[in-house]
Tab-separated table of all heavy atoms in Angstrom:
chain	number	residue	atom	x	y	z
A	1	ALA	N	30.485	9.891	13.026
A	1	ALA	CA	29.894	9.345	11.804
A	1	ALA	C	28.397	9.594	11.795
A	1	ALA	O	27.747	9.641	12.858
A	1	ALA	CB	30.195	7.884	11.656
A	2	GLY	N	27.832	9.756	10.602
A	2	GLY	CA	26.393	9.987	10.475
A	2	GLY	C	25.707	8.795	9.861
A	2	GLY	O	26.144	8.291	8.825
A	3	LEU	N	24.640	8.372	10.501
A	3	LEU	CA	23.839	7.271	9.988
A	3	LEU	C	22.786	7.870	9.013
A	3	LEU	O	21.930	8.652	9.440
A	3	LEU	CB	23.148	6.539	11.100
A	3	LEU	CG	22.128	5.483	10.682
A	3	LEU	CD1	22.830	4.338	9.935
A	3	LEU	CD2	21.401	4.928	11.904
A	4	GLY	N	22.878	7.528	7.733
A	4	GLY	CA	21.954	8.107	6.736
A	4	GLY	C	20.610	7.429	6.744
A	4	GLY	O	20.432	6.287	7.125
A	5	SER	N	19.619	8.188	6.309
A	5	SER	CA	18.256	7.643	6.182
A	5	SER	C	17.537	8.318	5.049
A	5	SER	O	17.802	9.453	4.702
A	5	SER	CB	17.477	7.819	7.503
A	5	SER	OG	17.238	9.177	7.761
A	6	LYS	N	16.562	7.601	4.464
A	6	LYS	CA	15.651	8.104	3.495
A	6	LYS	C	14.233	7.729	3.968
A	6	LYS	O	14.017	6.589	4.359
A	6	LYS	CB	15.936	7.613	2.101
A	6	LYS	CG	17.236	8.138	1.491
A	6	LYS	CD	17.449	7.656	0.092
A	6	LYS	CE	18.793	8.096	-0.495
A	6	LYS	NZ	18.809	9.543	-0.792
A	7	ARG	N	13.334	8.698	3.872
A	7	ARG	CA	12.013	8.438	4.318
A	7	ARG	C	10.979	8.871	3.253
A	7	ARG	O	11.161	9.942	2.662
A	7	ARG	CB	11.716	9.187	5.637
A	7	ARG	CG	12.539	8.675	6.804
A	7	ARG	CD	12.492	9.565	8.009
A	7	ARG	NE	13.238	8.984	9.100
A	7	ARG	CZ	13.586	9.648	10.208
A	7	ARG	NH1	13.237	10.908	10.366
A	7	ARG	NH2	14.210	9.040	11.157
A	8	TYR	N	9.949	8.074	3.065
A	8	TYR	CA	8.931	8.351	2.082
A	8	TYR	C	7.526	8.169	2.625
A	8	TYR	O	7.316	7.327	3.521
A	8	TYR	CB	9.093	7.400	0.873
A	8	TYR	CG	10.156	7.805	-0.103
A	8	TYR	CD1	11.457	7.321	0.080
A	8	TYR	CD2	9.890	8.647	-1.177
A	8	TYR	CE1	12.454	7.645	-0.790
A	8	TYR	CE2	10.907	8.999	-2.062
A	8	TYR	CZ	12.161	8.469	-1.879
A	8	TYR	OH	13.174	8.830	-2.767
A	9	LYS	N	6.597	8.924	2.083
A	9	LYS	CA	5.204	8.696	2.286
A	9	LYS	C	4.635	8.212	0.969
A	9	LYS	O	4.765	8.896	-0.057
A	9	LYS	CB	4.460	9.946	2.791
A	9	LYS	CG	2.984	9.700	3.083
A	9	LYS	CD	2.365	10.930	3.703
A	9	LYS	CE	0.916	10.656	4.120
A	9	LYS	NZ	0.286	11.807	4.828
A	10	LEU	N	4.030	7.011	0.977
A	10	LEU	CA	3.385	6.501	-0.231
A	10	LEU	C	1.887	6.722	-0.072
A	10	LEU	O	1.281	6.292	0.919
A	10	LEU	CB	3.673	5.002	-0.363
A	10	LEU	CG	2.839	4.236	-1.397
A	10	LEU	CD1	3.044	4.801	-2.822
A	10	LEU	CD2	3.094	2.748	-1.357
A	11	VAL	N	1.269	7.409	-1.026
A	11	VAL	CA	-0.158	7.651	-1.004
A	11	VAL	C	-0.816	6.962	-2.212
A	11	VAL	O	-0.408	7.215	-3.368
A	11	VAL	CB	-0.466	9.186	-1.072
A	11	VAL	CG1	-2.006	9.413	-1.045
A	11	VAL	CG2	0.213	9.924	0.074
A	12	VAL	N	-1.708	6.079	-1.946
A	12	VAL	CA	-2.460	5.302	-2.983
A	12	VAL	C	-3.875	5.809	-3.003
A	12	VAL	O	-4.529	5.866	-1.947
A	12	VAL	CB	-2.368	3.795	-2.743
A	12	VAL	CG1	-3.059	3.047	-3.911
A	12	VAL	CG2	-0.951	3.324	-2.578
A	13	LYS	N	-4.409	6.122	-4.183
A	13	LYS	CA	-5.771	6.682	-4.280
A	13	LYS	C	-6.654	5.882	-5.250
A	13	LYS	O	-6.151	5.317	-6.220
A	13	LYS	CB	-5.726	8.140	-4.751
A	13	LYS	CG	-5.031	9.076	-3.745
A	13	LYS	CD	-5.091	10.515	-4.224
A	13	LYS	CE	-4.444	11.433	-3.183
A	13	LYS	NZ	-4.515	12.870	-3.582
A	14	GLY	N	-7.943	5.846	-4.924
A	14	GLY	CA	-8.921	5.226	-5.801
A	14	GLY	C	-10.247	5.977	-5.700
A	14	GLY	O	-10.320	7.011	-5.006
A	15	LYS	N	-11.285	5.466	-6.342
A	15	LYS	CA	-12.570	6.154	-6.355
A	15	LYS	C	-13.292	6.028	-5.014
A	15	LYS	O	-14.029	6.956	-4.621
A	15	LYS	CB	-13.481	5.582	-7.463
A	15	LYS	CG	-13.005	5.984	-8.860
A	15	LYS	CD	-13.973	5.498	-9.897
A	15	LYS	CE	-13.535	5.943	-11.329
A	15	LYS	NZ	-14.494	5.426	-12.375
A	16	GLY	N	-13.131	4.933	-4.356
A	16	GLY	CA	-13.857	4.720	-3.096
A	16	GLY	C	-15.300	4.332	-3.371
A	16	GLY	O	-15.861	4.592	-4.432
A	17	GLY	N	-15.926	3.649	-2.422
A	17	GLY	CA	-17.320	3.247	-2.580
A	17	GLY	C	-17.800	2.357	-1.440
A	17	GLY	O	-17.054	2.128	-0.460
A	18	HIS	N	-19.009	1.824	-1.591
A	18	HIS	CA	-19.594	1.005	-0.572
A	18	HIS	C	-18.964	-0.449	-0.629
A	18	HIS	O	-18.759	-0.984	-1.720
A	18	HIS	CB	-21.107	0.900	-0.764
A	18	HIS	CG	-21.819	0.341	0.421
A	18	HIS	ND1	-21.880	-1.004	0.690
A	18	HIS	CD2	-22.538	0.956	1.408
A	18	HIS	CE1	-22.621	-1.198	1.782
A	18	HIS	NE2	-23.044	-0.023	2.243
A	19	SER	N	-18.740	-1.016	0.513
A	19	SER	CA	-18.060	-2.330	0.567
A	19	SER	C	-18.840	-3.419	-0.123
A	19	SER	O	-18.304	-4.395	-0.656
A	19	SER	CB	-17.726	-2.720	2.000
A	19	SER	OG	-18.897	-2.862	2.750
A	20	TRP	N	-20.206	-3.297	-0.124
A	20	TRP	CA	-21.076	-4.292	-0.773
A	20	TRP	C	-21.476	-3.825	-2.160
A	20	TRP	O	-21.299	-4.503	-3.188
A	20	TRP	CB	-22.304	-4.562	0.068
A	20	TRP	CG	-23.332	-5.474	-0.569
A	20	TRP	CD1	-24.444	-5.092	-1.242
A	20	TRP	CD2	-23.248	-6.879	-0.625
A	20	TRP	NE1	-25.102	-6.175	-1.705
A	20	TRP	CE2	-24.382	-7.315	-1.377
A	20	TRP	CE3	-22.372	-7.866	-0.181
A	20	TRP	CZ2	-24.667	-8.630	-1.625
A	20	TRP	CZ3	-22.628	-9.188	-0.417
A	20	TRP	CH2	-23.784	-9.559	-1.101
A	21	GLY	N	-21.995	-2.591	-2.207
A	21	GLY	CA	-22.546	-2.091	-3.446
A	21	GLY	C	-21.495	-1.887	-4.544
A	21	GLY	O	-21.769	-2.053	-5.707
A	22	ALA	N	-20.279	-1.589	-4.122
A	22	ALA	CA	-19.215	-1.310	-5.079
A	22	ALA	C	-18.153	-2.403	-5.023
A	22	ALA	O	-17.023	-2.191	-5.452
A	22	ALA	CB	-18.618	0.069	-4.837
A	23	PHE	N	-18.523	-3.545	-4.531
A	23	PHE	CA	-17.528	-4.626	-4.393
A	23	PHE	C	-16.854	-4.925	-5.742
A	23	PHE	O	-17.501	-5.017	-6.765
A	23	PHE	CB	-18.230	-5.918	-3.887
A	23	PHE	CG	-17.306	-7.091	-3.807
A	23	PHE	CD1	-16.295	-7.109	-2.857
A	23	PHE	CD2	-17.442	-8.142	-4.677
A	23	PHE	CE1	-15.409	-8.192	-2.780
A	23	PHE	CE2	-16.561	-9.234	-4.613
A	23	PHE	CZ	-15.568	-9.241	-3.660
A	24	GLY	N	-15.571	-5.114	-5.659
A	24	GLY	CA	-14.759	-5.355	-6.853
A	24	GLY	C	-14.052	-4.134	-7.358
A	24	GLY	O	-13.148	-4.227	-8.193
A	25	LEU	N	-14.406	-2.966	-6.821
A	25	LEU	CA	-13.727	-1.708	-7.163
A	25	LEU	C	-12.336	-1.731	-6.602
A	25	LEU	O	-12.088	-2.201	-5.521
A	25	LEU	CB	-14.504	-0.529	-6.640
A	25	LEU	CG	-14.035	0.875	-7.039
A	25	LEU	CD1	-14.254	1.083	-8.539
A	25	LEU	CD2	-14.819	1.936	-6.208
A	26	ALA	N	-11.403	-1.154	-7.384
A	26	ALA	CA	-9.999	-1.119	-6.953
A	26	ALA	C	-9.886	-0.475	-5.561
A	26	ALA	O	-10.419	0.625	-5.323
A	26	ALA	CB	-9.173	-0.341	-7.955
A	27	ASN	N	-9.195	-1.186	-4.665
A	27	ASN	CA	-9.148	-0.739	-3.249
A	27	ASN	C	-7.712	-0.326	-2.881
A	27	ASN	O	-6.774	-1.132	-2.905
A	27	ASN	CB	-9.556	-1.953	-2.378
A	27	ASN	CG	-9.675	-1.594	-0.902
A	27	ASN	OD1	-8.818	-0.941	-0.365
A	27	ASN	ND2	-10.758	-2.056	-0.261
A	28	PRO	N	-7.505	0.940	-2.560
A	28	PRO	CA	-6.148	1.433	-2.211
A	28	PRO	C	-5.483	0.668	-1.063
A	28	PRO	O	-4.284	0.465	-1.104
A	28	PRO	CB	-6.414	2.903	-1.830
A	28	PRO	CG	-7.607	3.291	-2.633
A	28	PRO	CD	-8.474	2.059	-2.626
A	29	HIS	N	-6.272	0.247	-0.065
A	29	HIS	CA	-5.683	-0.520	1.041
A	29	HIS	C	-5.099	-1.821	0.523
A	29	HIS	O	-4.015	-2.261	0.947
A	29	HIS	CB	-6.747	-0.846	2.095
A	29	HIS	CG	-7.029	0.303	3.040
A	29	HIS	ND1	-6.355	1.498	3.016
A	29	HIS	CD2	-7.960	0.384	4.068
A	29	HIS	CE1	-6.812	2.268	3.964
A	29	HIS	NE2	-7.790	1.637	4.610
A	30	HIS	N	-5.831	-2.518	-0.347
A	30	HIS	CA	-5.335	-3.769	-0.876
A	30	HIS	C	-4.058	-3.585	-1.668
A	30	HIS	O	-3.114	-4.379	-1.596
A	30	HIS	CB	-6.406	-4.454	-1.743
A	30	HIS	CG	-7.633	-4.786	-0.944
A	30	HIS	ND1	-8.770	-5.354	-1.577
A	30	HIS	CD2	-7.971	-4.641	0.315
A	30	HIS	CE1	-9.696	-5.528	-0.669
A	30	HIS	NE2	-9.245	-5.095	0.490
A	31	ALA	N	-4.031	-2.536	-2.455
A	31	ALA	CA	-2.853	-2.242	-3.256
A	31	ALA	C	-1.678	-1.873	-2.362
A	31	ALA	O	-0.530	-2.328	-2.596
A	31	ALA	CB	-3.135	-1.066	-4.193
A	32	LEU	N	-1.955	-1.132	-1.295
A	32	LEU	CA	-0.899	-0.785	-0.358
A	32	LEU	C	-0.337	-2.031	0.311
A	32	LEU	O	0.902	-2.155	0.486
A	32	LEU	CB	-1.413	0.176	0.711
A	32	LEU	CG	-0.398	0.758	1.664
A	32	LEU	CD1	0.372	1.887	0.991
A	32	LEU	CD2	-1.054	1.261	2.945
A	33	GLY	N	-1.218	-2.937	0.695
A	33	GLY	CA	-0.771	-4.210	1.294
A	33	GLY	C	0.159	-4.997	0.386
A	33	GLY	O	1.150	-5.577	0.801
A	34	LYS	N	-0.184	-4.989	-0.906
A	34	LYS	CA	0.671	-5.692	-1.892
A	34	LYS	C	2.039	-5.000	-1.975
A	34	LYS	O	3.067	-5.674	-2.032
A	34	LYS	CB	-0.013	-5.677	-3.248
A	34	LYS	CG	0.703	-6.553	-4.283
A	34	LYS	CD	-0.135	-6.662	-5.541
A	34	LYS	CE	0.477	-7.678	-6.506
A	34	LYS	NZ	0.363	-9.048	-5.984
A	35	ALA	N	2.055	-3.662	-1.920
A	35	ALA	CA	3.298	-2.948	-1.982
A	35	ALA	C	4.182	-3.265	-0.754
A	35	ALA	O	5.389	-3.446	-0.892
A	35	ALA	CB	3.035	-1.428	-2.059
A	36	ILE	N	3.552	-3.319	0.426
A	36	ILE	CA	4.301	-3.662	1.640
A	36	ILE	C	4.858	-5.061	1.495
A	36	ILE	O	6.030	-5.311	1.857
A	36	ILE	CB	3.366	-3.560	2.879
A	36	ILE	CG1	2.990	-2.101	3.130
A	36	ILE	CG2	4.079	-4.130	4.091
A	36	ILE	CD1	2.003	-1.920	4.262
A	37	ASP	N	4.100	-6.006	1.005
A	37	ASP	CA	4.551	-7.377	0.896
A	37	ASP	C	5.718	-7.502	-0.058
A	37	ASP	O	6.756	-8.118	0.254
A	37	ASP	CB	3.384	-8.244	0.426
A	37	ASP	CG	3.775	-9.728	0.327
A	37	ASP	OD1	4.346	-10.236	1.327
A	37	ASP	OD2	3.490	-10.364	-0.680
A	38	LEU	N	5.566	-6.908	-1.249
A	38	LEU	CA	6.688	-7.019	-2.254
A	38	LEU	C	7.941	-6.333	-1.755
A	38	LEU	O	9.066	-6.843	-1.889
A	38	LEU	CB	6.241	-6.424	-3.560
A	38	LEU	CG	5.208	-7.208	-4.362
A	38	LEU	CD1	4.858	-6.471	-5.696
A	38	LEU	CD2	5.711	-8.600	-4.682
A	39	PHE	N	7.801	-5.137	-1.154
A	39	PHE	CA	8.950	-4.392	-0.649
A	39	PHE	C	9.603	-5.157	0.477
A	39	PHE	O	10.851	-5.303	0.542
A	39	PHE	CB	8.552	-3.014	-0.176
A	39	PHE	CG	9.629	-2.262	0.519
A	39	PHE	CD1	10.885	-2.026	-0.105
A	39	PHE	CD2	9.447	-1.755	1.824
A	39	PHE	CE1	11.887	-1.361	0.556
A	39	PHE	CE2	10.480	-1.038	2.457
A	39	PHE	CZ	11.689	-0.854	1.819
A	40	SER	N	8.834	-5.691	1.413
A	40	SER	CA	9.391	-6.417	2.553
A	40	SER	C	10.194	-7.625	2.099
A	40	SER	O	11.286	-7.864	2.611
A	40	SER	CB	8.303	-6.864	3.526
A	40	SER	OG	7.629	-5.765	4.082
A	41	GLN	N	9.671	-8.371	1.142
A	41	GLN	CA	10.397	-9.530	0.629
A	41	GLN	C	11.708	-9.133	-0.031
A	41	GLN	O	12.750	-9.693	0.283
A	41	GLN	CB	9.518	-10.297	-0.379
A	41	GLN	CG	8.355	-11.012	0.248
A	41	GLN	CD	7.552	-11.797	-0.783
A	41	GLN	OE1	8.111	-12.325	-1.736
A	41	GLN	NE2	6.248	-11.936	-0.596
A	42	SER	N	11.655	-8.181	-0.940
A	42	SER	CA	12.856	-7.789	-1.665
A	42	SER	C	13.882	-7.095	-0.782
A	42	SER	O	15.080	-7.339	-0.853
A	42	SER	CB	12.495	-6.815	-2.802
A	42	SER	OG	11.650	-7.423	-3.741
A	43	ALA	N	13.408	-6.252	0.123
A	43	ALA	CA	14.285	-5.542	1.040
A	43	ALA	C	14.946	-6.486	2.019
A	43	ALA	O	16.114	-6.327	2.394
A	43	ALA	CB	13.528	-4.440	1.769
A	44	TRP	N	14.159	-7.501	2.513
A	44	TRP	CA	14.743	-8.459	3.426
A	44	TRP	C	15.848	-9.253	2.761
A	44	TRP	O	16.895	-9.532	3.344
A	44	TRP	CB	13.655	-9.387	3.970
A	44	TRP	CG	14.187	-10.345	5.026
A	44	TRP	CD1	14.475	-11.666	4.857
A	44	TRP	CD2	14.521	-10.003	6.348
A	44	TRP	NE1	14.979	-12.177	6.016
A	44	TRP	CE2	14.992	-11.171	6.971
A	44	TRP	CE3	14.447	-8.816	7.103
A	44	TRP	CZ2	15.437	-11.216	8.303
A	44	TRP	CZ3	14.883	-8.858	8.428
A	44	TRP	CH2	15.361	-10.047	8.998
């Protein structure tokens, strides 16, 4: 028997900037964290 799998790479992009000078700018890391949280809850 074969154990099936699906694998993905999720890439999130934004403008990027200085942590102080551009504070409040959309942050790809924060968005990625939210995606992990929502997926983990639903998948669990």
Side-chain angles (χ1 to χ4, degrees):
L3 174 65
S5 65
K6 291 182 184 289
R7 294 167 176 168
Y8 281 90
K9 183 173 185 177
L10 168 63
V11 181
V12 182
K13 294 183 178 182
K15 290 184 177 180
H18 195 280
S19 62
W20 174 262
F23 176 69
L25 186 66
N27 186 315
H29 280 356
H30 298 178
L32 187 79
K34 189 173 187 68
I36 292 173
D37 183 49
L38 289 180
F39 172 56
S40 295
Q41 290 183 31
S42 298
W44 184 256

